[in-house]
Amino acid sequence: MRVGRTARGGKAGMAFTFLLRVQEKEFLQMLQDAGSPGVQKHVIKPESLKGMEVQYEKILQQLGDIIKDEQVR
């Protein structure tokens, strides 16, 4: 899994990964296997994300369009 560049020029960075509770154990094991120094867990209540649904759907559609365009090339 690649979350993208989180820092540049040797500086520290931060990345966020959203998981369902059922994905957590496997994800943490993957990080441990990769030698990750660890993660900070923050629980987000579903109602906190409600206002972002429309924007998220829009961005997913844009991403799908980009992927389709790249596959054609």
Side-chain angles (χ1 to χ4, degrees):
M1 174 188 297
R2 185 179 190 284
V3 294
R5 185 177 291 192
T6 61
R8 295 174 190 258
K11 295 182 181 178
M14 186 179 301
F16 294 86
T17 302
F18 291 87
L19 303 168
L20 297 173
R21 189 174 310 272
V22 298
Q23 298 170 310
E24 183 179 357
K25 184 178 177 182
E26 186 176 334
F27 180 75
L28 292 174
Q29 183 63 52
M30 179 186 68
L31 290 177
Q32 184 177 358
D33 293 346
S36 173
V39 297
Q40 290 181 346
K41 178 179 175 180
H42 298 277
V43 176
I44 307 220
K45 295 179 182 179
E47 56 268 17
S48 299
L49 302 174
K50 281 286 184 200
M52 298 179 193
E53 288 176 347
V54 172
Q55 183 179 4
Y56 181 73
E57 291 292 334
K58 192 185 239 183
I59 291 170
L60 281 180
Q61 181 63 49
Q62 290 173 356
L63 178 60
D65 293 342
I66 291 168
I67 291 170
K68 286 176 189 174
D69 288 346
E70 288 182 357
Q71 289 175 342
V72 170
R73 293 181 199 169

